Amino acid sequence: MEILWVLMALVMLGFVLLQLSRRRRGAVGLVEPGHPDAADPANYGFAREEELDVRMPGPDQDLLDVLDLVQRTQDYRGAQQLLAGTEAEGERRWQRVQAFAGAASLELLQRPGGVGETPGGQWLRVWRAEAPKDAGGAAVHAEFLVQQAWRTATPGSDEFRIIMEEAKAACGEAALLAPGDPIPYIVELSVARGLGYSREEFEQLWLKILDRAPHHMGAHLAALQYWCEKWHGSRELAYSFAEAAAARAPRGSLLAAMPLFAVFEHLPEVNLVSGFYQSEVVTKAVHGALHAVHSARPDDPMQAHVRHLLVFFLVRGERWAEAMNQLTVIDGHVGALPWTLSADPAAEFAVYRALAVAGYEANGGSPATLPH
């Protein structure tokens, strides 16, 4: 019993010392709303948590308008026209294909259909039936099957493999309809990860993408997953892939940010190293990503992906002013890593945003000192 009391006393002493240490270092934490020390993100013009859009990483009003029209009317033609008018090799077309496929997949998940009930996502089935030679519809269908596999089946199960094999065939059909289009092959990258392509098979697929869109950021992010330790590669292979992409990135390309994504994919589950987020490997990757967003075109749709990940690392590294600079650009949308890994992306983003604001103000910042 005496030993138990001693242990309890040591725990309490440790807690007190921890709080004193945090105060001496000026550590920033969250407090309850309304607390005198609470920093208010609304003072910076940031959106309220309930207003954050979880569907996409950044604004694409044309896509939102068409998605609303398609889901309201169940008429696919708006989606068909939007994709037909979107540059085939560009990042935006890939994002729109993902968005349409995701919308159909979620509709089906919410309304699986039954006796006398039309299943969700019926507009995509009609699209494929009425326009079987349409390359856009074929690409959306292939991506839809991929998302269905990940959402509804367990990787490695027979059900998962069956859906992925169907997705692989759909990728082949889409590729035949548009030989120069990289999208069907980018969709297949996820199939390759799910079905466990050999490295030789994966490299052959990757070469087809490089032939069509050698600097496609979305394709590189999809390929990085295959090389990660949790799938079919290792930390070293993932880092090598990301660093090679950054090294050959042309001026103004966001590929220079690839190492930061590789670092994120291999974060230790329990960080036992003091100052990990100020370490050389993280600092170098963050600087590469900052350079990438500063050099990229303002209208590059992949900028938002990089900026969201930068917020995560900059807050963890207590680089408050730099985190705030990113937030002023991306606030309002949270459909990107790392927030989408959370069950509540908006809430996760809001926590980091509040920490950035609190840290910024604790170091003398205010709405008046934040550049816009």
Side-chain angles (χ1 to χ4, degrees):
M1 181 62 72
E2 290 179 359
I3 293 176
L4 178 61
W5 282 109
V6 170
L7 289 174
M8 291 177 65
L10 288 173
V11 170
M12 293 299 295
L13 178 62
F15 178 79
V16 171
L17 290 175
L18 175 62
Q19 299 307 309
L20 288 173
S21 174
R22 286 174 61 86
R23 288 176 186 174
R24 289 193 185 108
R25 292 199 308 267
V28 176
L30 290 179
V31 296
E32 292 296 321
H35 189 281
D37 294 331
D40 188 356
N43 292 337
Y44 296 83
F46 293 147
R48 295 195 301 270
E49 182 180 328
E50 61 270 21
E51 296 173 340
L52 295 170
D53 192 328
V54 302
R55 294 171 293 179
M56 55 189 65
D60 185 345
Q61 194 58 49
D62 289 341
L63 173 60
L64 288 178
D65 291 343
V66 171
L67 265 176
D68 177 68
L69 177 66
V70 169
Q71 293 187 302
R72 182 162 37 82
T73 65
Q74 291 295 296
D75 187 339
Y76 68 87
R77 285 174 293 184
Q80 182 184 35
Q81 292 168 5
L82 184 64
L83 284 183
T86 306
E87 181 188 6
E89 295 80 14
E91 305 283 354
R92 197 172 298 280
R93 180 179 171 84
W94 169 230
Q95 291 189 3
R96 287 173 172 177
V97 165
Q98 287 181 298
F100 288 129
S105 179
L106 287 173
E107 278 186 40
L108 182 59
L109 195 64
Q110 294 163 358
R111 302 194 310 277
V115 179
E117 182 185 8
T118 302
Q122 183 66 18
W123 54 269
L124 178 55
R125 297 181 187 84
V126 175
W127 187 356
R128 293 297 293 129
E130 293 186 354
K133 301 299 183 183
D134 181 62
V140 172
H141 179 239
E143 174 65 15
F144 165 81
L145 290 170
V146 166
Q147 294 197 28
Q148 280 295 100
W150 291 112
R151 278 197 176 100
T152 64
T154 303
S157 66
D158 289 342
E159 181 186 5
F160 181 83
R161 179 166 288 275
I162 289 169
I163 302 174
M164 277 298 188
E165 290 288 358
E166 187 180 353
K168 182 179 180 180
C171 288
E173 293 175 17
L176 289 174
L177 290 172
D181 189 350
I183 300 298
Y185 300 104
I186 299 175
V187 175
E188 193 178 346
L189 289 172
S190 190
V191 176
R193 177 163 55 98
L195 293 180
Y197 280 22
S198 69
R199 289 184 182 175
E200 182 181 358
E201 290 175 308
F202 188 85
E203 290 285 8
Q204 290 174 352
L205 172 61
W206 184 238
L207 286 174
K208 293 176 182 177
I209 295 171
L210 291 182
D211 285 343
R212 292 162 175 80
H215 307 303
H216 198 288
M217 180 71 173
H220 279 79
L221 290 177
L224 176 65
Q225 291 294 316
Y226 178 91
W227 294 115
C228 286
E229 191 173 55
K230 61 188 174 184
W231 286 105
H232 307 294
S234 65
R235 180 191 301 266
E236 292 72 26
L237 286 170
Y239 278 26
S240 177
F241 174 81
E243 288 165 1
R248 66 172 182 269
R251 183 185 179 93
S253 169
L254 287 166
L255 289 177
M258 283 298 298
L260 189 64
F261 287 87
V263 170
F264 177 76
E265 293 294 343
H266 295 87
L267 288 176
E269 290 189 17
V270 179
N271 182 18
L272 300 177
V273 181
S274 177
F276 171 78
Y277 289 92
Q278 291 89 24
S279 66
E280 182 180 355
V281 65
V282 173
T283 299
K284 183 180 177 182
V286 167
H287 284 170
L290 286 169
H291 173 75
V293 296
H294 290 155
S295 304
R297 298 190 330 269
D299 62 343
D300 190 322
M302 294 303 293
Q303 266 215 49
H305 288 274
V306 180
R307 290 185 185 277
H308 278 287
L309 197 61
L310 274 169
V311 168
F312 172 86
F313 278 98
L314 292 170
V315 168
R316 289 291 186 97
E318 299 181 8
R319 297 167 63 168
W320 313 115
E322 291 171 290
M324 291 293 287
N325 288 337
Q326 301 304 318
L327 285 167
T328 60
V329 180
I330 59 170
D331 189 74
H333 298 84
V334 294
L337 286 175
W339 327 121
T340 49
L341 297 179
S342 168
D344 190 343
E348 185 78 2
F349 174 82
V351 167
Y352 275 78
R353 186 178 63 183
L355 285 169
V357 170
Y360 184 63
E361 294 187 354
N363 286 274
S366 71
T369 61
L370 183 66
H372 288 79

